[in-house]
């Protein structure tokens, strides 16, 4: 049984590695064909995202900083904001919280000026997760509620579901189990509604921990 499990895990990582390499190969091929313009910034941000998703943070930050440099040079606000967010997320994952907050807040400021409220809300959640990790549940909760208020007036139900789940985690920490259950269930319902039923593990685990 143990051998089968080890083989399964090994196969999983090999498949993920091949998928990542194929995606990166495609992005780097596209990068060779682009000039120093918004298209190049977009590709560099996509490369940053791929490395971030796979926890390869040195590479993520290298390409994120390159995207940021070009975006600022050509005054490409959206590209600048995305690069700042991805850099902040990378620093957050490694608990370099001061740098993470700086990049995320600067990203949010740009999205506020460009009127992209959906991204402002998502960044409230990103920033809230840092405060949550530090045990500052009050600030984290306030940020999640701000995000929810915005997202409830958009069509981004997936992000709204994530915020419901995060708020439920805080309510669980405060022993407000009844409210927490309500938000966990809201999160699951929305995830299923948008076809992301496979991503309800966090909410289901939260409900299990309460019971």
């Amino acid at each position: 049984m143990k051998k089968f499990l080890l083989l399964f895990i090994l196969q999983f990582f090999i498949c993920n590695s091949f998928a990542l390499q194929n995606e990166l190969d495609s992005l780097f091929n596209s990068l060779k064909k682009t000039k120093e313009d918004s298209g190049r910034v977009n590709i560099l941000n996509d490369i940053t995202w791929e490395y971030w998703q796979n926890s390869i943070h040195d590479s993520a930050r290298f390409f994120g900083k390159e995207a940021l440099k070009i975006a600022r040079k050509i005054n490409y606000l959206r590209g600048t904001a995305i690069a700042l967010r991805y850099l902040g997320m990378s620093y957050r994952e490694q608990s370099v919280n001061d740098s993470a907050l700086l990049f995320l807040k600067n990203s949010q400021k740009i999205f506020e000026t460009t009127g992209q409220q959906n991204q402002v809300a998502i960044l409230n959640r990103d920033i809230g997760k840092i405060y949550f990790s530090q045990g500052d549940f009050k600030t984290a909760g306030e940020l999640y509620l701000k995000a929810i208020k915005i997202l409830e007036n958009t069509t981004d139900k997936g992000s709204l579901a994530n915020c419901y789940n995060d708020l439920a985690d805080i309510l669980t920490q405060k022993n407000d189990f009844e409210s927490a259950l309500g938000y966990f269930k809201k999160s699951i319902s929305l995830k299923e509604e948008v076809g992301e039923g496979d991503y309800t593990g966090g909410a289901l685990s939260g409900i299990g921990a309460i019971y």
Side-chain angles (χ1 to χ4, degrees):
M1 182 66 180
K2 287 183 178 179
K3 286 183 179 179
F4 174 79
L5 181 60
L6 286 171
L7 285 171
F8 175 80
I9 293 171
L10 180 61
Q11 186 178 27
F12 173 81
F13 280 112
I14 289 172
C15 289
N16 272 6
S17 179
F18 277 124
L20 172 62
Q21 194 56 54
N22 287 338
E23 183 63 29
L24 287 173
D25 286 345
S26 175
L27 288 168
F28 281 122
N29 284 333
S30 297
L31 191 65
K32 292 175 184 176
K33 302 170 187 176
T34 61
K35 298 178 181 179
E36 200 169 88
D37 58 10
S38 61
R40 188 172 186 84
V41 174
N42 292 339
I43 294 169
L44 286 166
N45 278 331
D46 287 344
I47 292 170
T48 302
W49 173 261
E50 291 298 328
Y51 279 124
W52 174 80
Q53 275 198 311
N54 288 273
S55 299
I56 307 173
H57 293 294
D58 287 344
S59 296
R61 290 201 284 270
F62 175 83
F63 288 102
K65 288 175 181 177
E66 186 66 19
L68 182 60
K69 181 177 73 175
I70 297 171
R72 282 175 166 166
K73 181 179 177 180
I74 63 175
N75 196 31
Y76 178 30
L77 291 180
R78 182 176 180 277
T80 300
I82 291 172
L84 287 166
R85 180 181 178 232
Y86 290 173
L87 285 164
M89 289 162 62
S90 178
Y91 281 115
R92 184 191 68 199
E93 291 302 307
Q94 294 194 307
S95 299
V96 187
N97 291 328
D98 287 344
S99 294
L101 284 169
L102 178 65
F103 281 107
L104 292 172
K105 287 179 179 180
N106 283 336
S107 174
Q108 188 176 53
K109 285 177 185 175
I110 294 174
F111 281 124
E112 284 172 346
T113 62
T114 58
Q116 293 175 268
Q117 288 301 303
N118 183 70
Q119 294 299 321
V120 171
I122 289 170
L123 276 148
N124 276 326
R125 178 180 182 246
D126 287 336
I127 295 166
K129 287 170 77 70
I130 294 174
Y131 287 108
F132 180 85
S133 72
Q134 296 175 327
D136 186 350
F137 302 135
K138 181 177 183 295
T139 303
E142 289 170 353
L143 287 163
Y144 294 155
L145 285 169
K146 283 183 180 179
I148 287 168
K149 186 176 179 180
I150 295 171
L151 290 169
E152 284 181 336
N153 293 306
T154 72
T155 58
D156 189 356
K157 294 181 179 181
S159 294
L160 179 58
N162 291 334
C163 289
Y164 283 153
N165 192 82
D166 292 334
L167 185 57
D169 284 336
I170 287 178
L171 292 166
T172 301
Q173 292 290 332
K174 292 181 175 181
N175 295 325
D176 185 354
F177 300 124
E178 185 177 350
S179 297
L181 283 171
Y183 279 108
F184 278 135
K185 289 175 182 178
K186 276 184 164 185
S187 177
I188 292 170
S189 177
L190 278 181
K191 286 288 186 183
E192 290 175 343
E193 186 179 334
V194 297
E196 296 180 6
D198 292 340
Y199 297 95
T200 57
L204 290 170
S205 295
I207 291 172
I210 290 173
Y211 285 115

